[in-house]
Amino acid sequence: MNLTTFFAYARRAPFGGRLTQAQIDGMTAILNEWDRRKLLDKRCLAYMLATTFHETATKMQPVREYGGEKYLRSKKYYPWVGEGLVQVTWEENHRKFGATKPGQLLTMPIAIKALFDGMIKGMFTGRKLSDYFTGTADDAIGARKIVNGTDKAKLIAGYHKNFMDALEAAQDAEPPADVK
């Protein structure tokens, strides 16, 4: 994959023209884990990138659920509030991915494990990527059920298309003219 081309396309959409080093580092960590696991269906990779884009508010780094401390303390699952590349809540769910105390899903190794294992194995809702991306199915809207019902499903499907465009363009050796 030509990373220069991938980042050039991703910079345009969904990032709107700018990428920070932290965003590049986050995407690189996801791409590296994808390669390490020897996964093949780029539609799934694009959906993981799209989910991370949405769940981290474009940061592409593990984040803590938004809201002040008073708001977070009001949550039934406090102190196991949403953390990671996918906002994992509740103690039982944090522990599924190796976290033994709040805050550990803010580290990239545990956040990456949660993203990949959660979406590939169906550890968030029982639904997994292979339920929506198969030889006969290509359902980026329905795939939101892997993480969070139908909340923002169409929006995230749009990000999925952006990341698919970037991944497909990156298979070509030539970067776009504006990158040359």
Side-chain angles (χ1 to χ4, degrees):
M1 176 187 318
N2 184 319
L3 290 179
T4 301
T5 301
F6 172 78
F7 290 124
Y9 274 77
R11 179 179 296 111
R12 290 177 187 162
F15 289 95
R18 292 189 180 160
L19 277 177
T20 66
Q21 188 60 52
Q23 289 166 324
I24 291 168
D25 293 346
M27 287 186 283
T28 300
I30 293 167
L31 295 170
N32 287 344
E33 182 66 11
W34 179 264
D35 288 343
R36 188 189 73 73
R37 291 184 183 222
K38 298 181 180 3
L39 300 170
L40 300 174
D41 191 339
K42 286 195 177 8
R43 297 172 301 170
C44 295
L45 173 58
Y47 199 79
M48 283 195 261
L49 289 162
T51 296
T52 300
F53 181 84
H54 177 74
E55 296 275 323
T56 66
T58 78
K59 291 181 177 22
M60 306 306 282
Q61 290 290 318
V63 297
R64 188 171 193 229
E65 182 176 350
Y66 287 154
E69 196 61 25
K70 182 179 178 183
Y71 166 77
L72 294 175
R73 284 181 180 274
S74 74
K75 297 295 188 179
K76 291 179 184 177
Y77 45 77
Y78 186 85
W80 301 87
V81 298
E83 293 179 351
L85 297 171
V86 176
Q87 297 298 288
V88 178
T89 56
W90 300 97
E91 180 177 0
E92 176 185 345
N93 294 329
H94 280 240
R95 291 187 182 279
K96 284 180 190 176
F97 304 109
T100 58
K101 61 184 179 183
Q104 290 181 328
L105 271 160
L106 296 175
T107 65
M108 190 59 86
I110 296 176
I112 286 278
K113 178 178 177 44
L115 174 68
F116 276 78
D117 289 351
M119 295 187 82
I120 291 169
K121 297 177 182 179
M123 294 173 72
F124 298 125
T125 64
R127 306 228 170 122
K128 53 189 177 281
L129 286 164
S130 62
D131 294 336
Y132 300 95
F133 301 104
T134 68
T136 58
D138 190 7
D139 186 4
I141 294 174
R144 182 63 177 154
K145 293 175 186 167
I146 297 165
V147 173
N148 196 357
T150 58
D151 176 61
K152 306 288 186 194
K154 288 183 181 177
L155 178 66
I156 297 165
Y159 303 147
H160 173 261
K161 182 182 180 334
N162 296 148
F163 283 112
M164 274 304 300
D165 290 346
L167 290 167
E168 288 172 359
Q171 290 180 12
D172 300 332
E174 277 297 305
D178 63 337
V179 174
K180 291 179 187 176

